Amino acid sequence: MEKKVALLPGDGIGVEVMNAAVKLMHHVAAKYDLTIETSESLMGGCSYDAHGTPLTDETIELCYSSDAVLLGAVGGYKWEDLEHHLKPEAALLKLRKSLGLFTNIRPAKVYPSFVNSSSLKESAIIGTDFVVFRELTGGIYFGEPRGYDENKGYNTMVYEKYEIERIAHQAFKVAQKRKKILTSVDKANVLEVSQFWRKVVEEVSKEYPDVELSNMYVDNTAMQVVRDPKQFDVIVTSNLFGDIISDIAGMITGSLGMLPSASLGDKYALYEPVHGSAPDIAGENKANPIAMIASVGMMFDLSFGLQEAAILIDKAIEKTLDHGYRTADINLDDGNVVTTDRMADMIIKNFDIIYNENRESVFTL
Ligand code: NAD
């Protein structure tokens, strides 16, 4: 099997975690007779510096001609004062829109050996395993009018019915394969757009009678995710609320550096860590590559149909954490602090061990 993957490392630690994850990607692909042809392009601040725009048409074309897109992260202090449409972050919104990526999937899973490294109590987080479905191409990040003048600033939160329906269907379908519990998150006590969101999700729920649907206000959700994250299975919510809830979920797992994501549309798929470009630690080889590596795992599963590879990558991450390897951001339990590269190498090594054990057990059977 041959696949084309577009690599957009971006800025800051995006470049470092991408290098680490691509090494693992080729290593894993070789085990499954998969040849991955990669092409790299600039995006974000580095693209602005080179081309005067954070996202060129060539980069978008490259994504259109690829089977999957891997993105590091964009942004940094250097580009903070640019006009809105020239900022690195504008490229993210434009790319998601160009590729029609209307759903962002973010798993929040606590690895067993890692419970002591979270800032929350072990008893509260052990067994946490939920998925956040965040609407990605609508809502307040895109609504018009928007702007500010000397006297006021304003944005518009708007959702069309079809935008809510399509993400609700995806979330219900995944919930059917999991614990069949779906929580729709909104602010229906204050916002009309949320009242509409709730009405549409409830209509869609009639097609999934086996899934238990509940509605929760976003402020309560923020508290509940910290108080008792085990209650959640699948969460579906709008662009802005999902952005915040999934960052809170990041702290349950210990660090933003642990959270992978997939963004899916009807035709294209993009995989990226939840974290940003972390300019405070960029260039120091100390970024946590696990979120980027786990994003590659999601790509093997969702884009290439190699679920076994994804499971073994996840197990390799778990084993590496079990052995006490930590990047600085997750070293709350006096583990063995390693660099970005070393963490990735240990995960590759453990992947091989688990892969061989897996093959041996199949052979023995
Ligand atoms: P951030 O995620 O970059 O960093 C937040 C904190 O978490 C920092 O202290 C950072 O050092 C730490 N951190 C994040 N990822 C880490 C990793 N893999 N390993 C170790 N530590 C990690 O968020 P921010 O500081 O709010 O934003 C920095 C820049 O990134 C801004 O320009 C922002 O706009 C941009 N950003 C980009 C994306 C993206 O590309 N998808 C997402 C969020 C923020």
Side-chain angles (χ1 to χ4, degrees), residues 193-212:
V193 61
S194 279
Q195 288 160 15
F196 183 65
W197 175 282
R198 190 175 278 211
K199 187 169 162 292
V200 174
V201 173
E202 281 171 358
E203 275 167 22
V204 172
S205 77
K206 290 178 190 148
E207 294 178 43
Y208 304 89
D210 53 332
V211 177
E212 185 191 320

Side-chain angles (χ1 to χ4, degrees), residues 312-329:
L312 298 193
I313 290 171
D314 193 50
K315 286 189 173 172
I317 293 169
E318 188 170 326
K319 194 176 174 88
T320 306
L321 293 170
D322 276 351
H323 288 176
Y325 291 97
R326 302 281 186 268
T327 42
D329 57 311

